[in-house]
């Protein structure tokens, strides 16, 4: 299953890459953290590794390592604005539960 992005997320990532002045895409991953067990990791990618899977969505490359893909398959990345707050939102069909603050999840 692929990783997808909304128009808002793709636009935001493209603007970050332009301001950064380099990079080929955005890495989406997971790490052990938080009160529910896992949290999302977003970082810019300058070089693709052999174990990476690359998805291109709306002109943006999303790179996922093979271990993270087990937890992220089918995820949609969105960018939302609510009042004065804004940020990326992960619509992950694999999530069984999330912590109260929304920073971590469990599959």
């Amino acid at each position: 299953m692929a990783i997808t992005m909304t128009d808002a997320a793709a636009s935001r990532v493209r603007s970050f890459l332009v301001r950064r002045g380099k990079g080929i895409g955005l890495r989406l991953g997971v790490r052990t953290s938080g009160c529910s067990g896992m949290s999302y990791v977003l970082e810019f990618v300058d070089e693709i590794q052999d174990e990476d899977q690359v998805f291109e969505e709306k002109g943006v490359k999303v790179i996922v390592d093979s271990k993270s893909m087990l937890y992220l398959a089918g995820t949609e990345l969105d960018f939302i604005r609510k009042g004065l707050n804004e940020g990326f939102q992960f619509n992950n069909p694999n999530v069984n539960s999330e912590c109260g603050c929304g920073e971590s999840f469990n599959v």
Side-chain angles (χ1 to χ4, degrees):
M1 292 178 71
I3 305 297
T4 59
M5 300 176 86
T6 64
D7 290 336
S11 176
R12 191 64 170 185
V13 172
R14 278 193 303 272
S15 69
F16 279 143
L17 287 168
V18 167
R19 277 188 274 169
R20 187 171 180 254
K22 65 177 182 174
I24 57 173
L26 182 73
R27 179 175 300 283
L28 175 57
V30 295
R31 68 175 178 201
T32 303
S33 176
C35 42
S36 287
M38 301 179 128
S39 62
Y40 296 104
V41 177
L42 287 175
E43 57 191 15
F44 295 111
V45 175
D46 294 324
E47 187 176 311
I48 296 174
Q49 305 299 315
D50 290 338
E51 69 275 4
D52 289 339
Q53 294 185 39
V54 180
F55 304 93
E56 187 151 350
E57 181 75 18
K58 297 174 176 64
V60 175
K61 286 187 171 89
V62 179
I63 296 98
V64 182
D65 67 88
S66 57
K67 289 180 185 175
S68 294
M69 193 62 198
L70 296 171
Y71 306 103
L72 297 174
T75 296
E76 177 191 60
L77 183 61
D78 194 5
F79 185 78
I80 58 168
R81 289 189 173 107
K82 289 184 181 177
L84 297 175
N85 298 316
E86 61 181 31
F88 288 101
Q89 178 176 313
F90 305 90
N91 301 315
N92 185 341
N94 306 300
V95 171
N96 289 327
S97 63
E98 296 178 309
C99 69
C101 65
E103 292 295 318
S104 62
F105 66 97
N106 188 2
V107 289

